[in-house]
Amino acid sequence: MQSDSALRLVWIYPDLLSTYGDQGNVLVLEQRARSRGFQVEVVHVRSADPVPESGDVYLIGGGEDRPQILGAERLRRDGGLNRAVQRGAALLAVCAGYQIMGTTFGGEEGQPVAGIELLDISSGRGQARAVGELVAEVDPALGVPTLTGFENHMGVTRLGPGVTPLSRTVVGTGNGDGTEGCYAGHVIGTYLHGPALARNPGLADLLLSWAVGGPLAPIDDTWYSRLREERLAAVLPR
Ligand code: GLN
């Protein structure tokens, strides 16, 4: 982020990939950045439009198989997101958006569809749909508390050596191998819907700290904490 300009949040393809309230992630990032005194500009990029390369944090959500295939084709043709990530922009990719970041994912009939290769992952279709609450312990290197969220996907994701698991599942399916999501550089992929950042403000602040290039001042997290506690208590065995 340039010091004299607003933090630019770029929401990719709300017309294709915004099925489960993932746009809430944009609102959470905006609110948490403004609370710290940052000016924020939010850019919505529809799928007919080019992806601007000057964003600080990019977000892409989940969706059904056909919009996912269309979204992958358009991102690949456009190239703007790849260029933005290559110059160091942060990215949060959720579910269908997460799978698109890999080399391939499974289409409606399970056929392999090309992703945009920002993450060293490939996804296929599992035997059963993974639906429900998810709890996962985050890689300690990231300094983010336990993840709480909701997943709904058929996909299983294999992680290659170029990525690190974001977390290890305690409840739920995630990637399908005991891990959930992954990260590489400033790119995070996750199966958590939701909006996941409302339940995981630590993840929101990780993205923001990457974007602003340093640690963030603490803010009042009373409502976020209540939501986290309520969800964790409902899911974790006592
Ligand atoms: N179509 C993908 C799957 O089922 C992604 C679904 C989603 O984004 N919720 O795995």
Side-chain angles (χ1 to χ4, degrees):
M1 179 192 171
Q2 290 164 11
S3 55
D4 55 346
S5 59
L7 183 82
R8 251 183 140 200
L9 307 179
V10 183
W11 175 237
I12 297 172
Y13 298 170
D15 53 332
L16 292 179
L17 296 167
S18 182
T19 311
Y20 301 96
D22 297 324
Q23 190 184 343
N25 289 332
V26 186
L27 301 177
V28 170
L29 285 179
E30 182 180 6
Q31 185 268 338
R32 296 184 73 80
R34 286 194 198 282
S35 300
R36 269 89 173 214
F38 292 103
Q39 291 193 334
V40 180
E41 185 192 350
V42 179
V43 183
H44 286 201
V45 184
R46 295 177 66 80
S47 58
D49 297 331
V51 177
E53 294 173 35
S54 58
D56 296 299
V57 186
Y58 290 77
L59 299 107
I60 183 166
E64 290 165 19
D65 295 340
R66 286 186 178 207
Q68 178 177 5
I69 293 168
L70 204 56
E73 284 168 4
R74 292 191 176 178
L75 281 175
R76 172 173 277 279
R77 218 180 311 134
D78 179 81
L81 179 61
N82 293 63
R83 288 190 290 274
V85 166
Q86 270 147 24
R87 68 154 179 81
L91 165 66
L92 177 69
V94 172
C95 206
Y98 170 39
Q99 295 176 1
I100 288 174
M101 297 308 135
T103 50
T104 54
F105 61 86
E108 310 102 295
E109 309 297 336
Q111 77 278 19
V113 178
I116 65 166
E117 299 180 25
L118 283 178
L119 289 172
D120 180 15
I121 59 169
S122 62
S123 304
R125 285 168 82 82
Q127 296 298 315
R129 180 162 281 277
V131 189
E133 290 288 319
L134 192 148
V135 176
E137 296 298 344
V138 184
D139 179 348
L142 296 177
V144 172
T146 305
L147 292 178
T148 157
F150 183 80
E151 62 181 336
N152 184 359
H153 57 102
M154 276 297 282
V156 291
T157 296
R158 190 190 55 77
L159 308 189
V163 296
T164 306
L166 176 65
S167 60
R168 306 222 158 255
T169 49
V170 178
V171 174
T173 304
N175 295 321
D177 64 353
T179 66
E180 158 21 50
C182 74
Y183 70 99
H186 289 175
V187 178
I188 296 177
T190 177
Y191 274 111
L192 294 184
H193 274 300
L197 297 185
R199 287 165 68 161
N200 301 286
L203 207 54
D205 285 357
L206 179 65
L207 290 161
L208 288 177
S209 69
W210 285 341
V212 304
L216 301 166
I219 52 175
D220 179 6
D221 268 338
T222 308
W223 286 102
Y224 287 97
S225 301
R226 279 196 201 169
L227 176 61
R228 284 181 61 73
E229 280 158 24
E230 192 260 336
R231 292 320 306 157
L232 287 168
V235 177
L236 287 177
R238 283 163 195 267

